[in-house]
Amino acid sequence: MRQCLPQGLTDRSVSLLLFRFQGPPPLLEGPLAVNTRLQRGRRLFTGQLRGPESFTADQDGNIYTGTVDGKLWRIYQDTLTFITQMGQDIPECGSSRDYEPVCGRPKGVRLDSSGQLIVADAYLGLFRVDPQSGEKTLLLSSKQGCDGIPFGFLNGLELSRNGTIFFTDSSSKWGRRHVRYEVIEMNHLGRLLAYEPQTGQVRTLLDSLYMPNGIALSPEEDFIMMSETSIGHIVRYWLKGPQAGTKEILMNNMPGYPGNIRLSDRGTFLVGMTTTRFRGRIIPPFLDLVGPYPAVKRFITKLIPFSWYNMLLPKYGLVLELGPDGEVLDSLHDPNGTLTWAVSDVFQHGGQYYLGSIHLPFLAVLEHWS
């Protein structure tokens, strides 16, 4: 762990662009066996919410989320209320990824102990937002960054009971609008950081990470569980105890690419899988094929239109439930995308599970787990 420097640059070399998965994807058996349990839900606000990616809730039953057009929303039962625009509120917001740096893109959303929203905007920085008035306070700008390196892609967010804000910066090369380039290149230019609101101090806990994404504190807050999306890893970073300041890989070679991680009321960790990675009968998964070939990946990122990547993404919904040591306890599947797919978040509240996504034009809600 190190404190960030106000000036100067850290020597961070260009990523090696070389990563090999450790064998073929796991078989879908045991707790990973295919089922249709993720289909037992409903869609809300179709056409009104696009990409509700992360959630939090207050004691009054209000749910808060952010969308691709840079807006923050409050949901109460079947009512949707606009709170604020993270960036500039212009007509083009939500029409193209190219406007995201201007309009903003809220990623991680949490409530602090005073009832204020803490928001990690992918482009703009960390904010405190009054959920009633919509008033925004910039806590830490992406331009300021840490260690002399601006934040390129703020993503995951978690708050400790003492107020520390933990967050991830997924890449210092690609912003959120080019997230698939980051996944394909498999760079290790991401960071896990901590911000102290009372002092304004920000510090790096881990760097050289492969697209760090969702984070969740353990019930005792002695460790953080974190996903490294592009390489399909789940990592544990110890905050307390004899291993404090160290990390260990809990899961690798996963059946997909993990997004956000949330703590359930059972003390387990719920992981949304943004894209599946299943065994093919003849051809291995796409990223398994191109992983060892940096020249091929450079060709793909430079010449293939961004929109073509959607053709490579299966409409398959998958959620994992993990134990504290990364063991797979359960999985919920939607093999045909009947309810949802490309799950970014699994937020449990009031007996229901709110399923996030990075771009789908609706909010999927799972009625029950079992």
Side-chain angles (χ1 to χ4, degrees), residues 211-223:
M211 195 181 165
N213 193 335
I215 51 177
L217 282 162
S218 67
E220 296 77 21
E221 297 193 349
D222 55 346
F223 68 84

Side-chain angles (χ1 to χ4, degrees), residues 64-123:
Y64 301 92
T65 191
T67 46
V68 296
D69 51 9
K71 292 177 169 57
L72 275 179
W73 302 90
R74 179 171 58 250
I75 300 168
Y76 182 74
Q77 297 179 354
D78 293 333
T79 302
L80 184 65
T81 303
F82 170 73
I83 298 176
T84 193
Q85 181 81 36
M86 294 306 300
Q88 297 181 33
D89 192 0
I90 59 176
E92 291 83 1
C93 290
S95 64
S96 168
R97 293 183 180 91
D98 293 335
Y99 290 100
E100 287 187 1
V102 175
C103 302
R105 193 352 173 169
K107 298 288 283 183
V109 180
R110 297 290 188 274
L111 273 172
D112 67 14
S113 59
S114 65
Q116 299 292 289
L117 289 168
I118 303 298
V119 181
D121 187 280
Y123 301 92

Side-chain angles (χ1 to χ4, degrees), residues 37-38 40-41 332 339 352-353 355 364-369:
R37 292 163 57 198
L38 198 59
R40 297 181 297 197
L332 275 64
L339 175 64
Q352 300 186 112
Y353 297 82
L355 306 175
V365 181
L366 188 69
E367 301 294 348
H368 52 84
W369 183 270

Side-chain angles (χ1 to χ4, degrees), residues 321-332:
E321 181 178 24
L322 306 180
D325 293 319
E327 65 275 27
V328 179
L329 304 175
D330 200 0
S331 65
L332 275 64

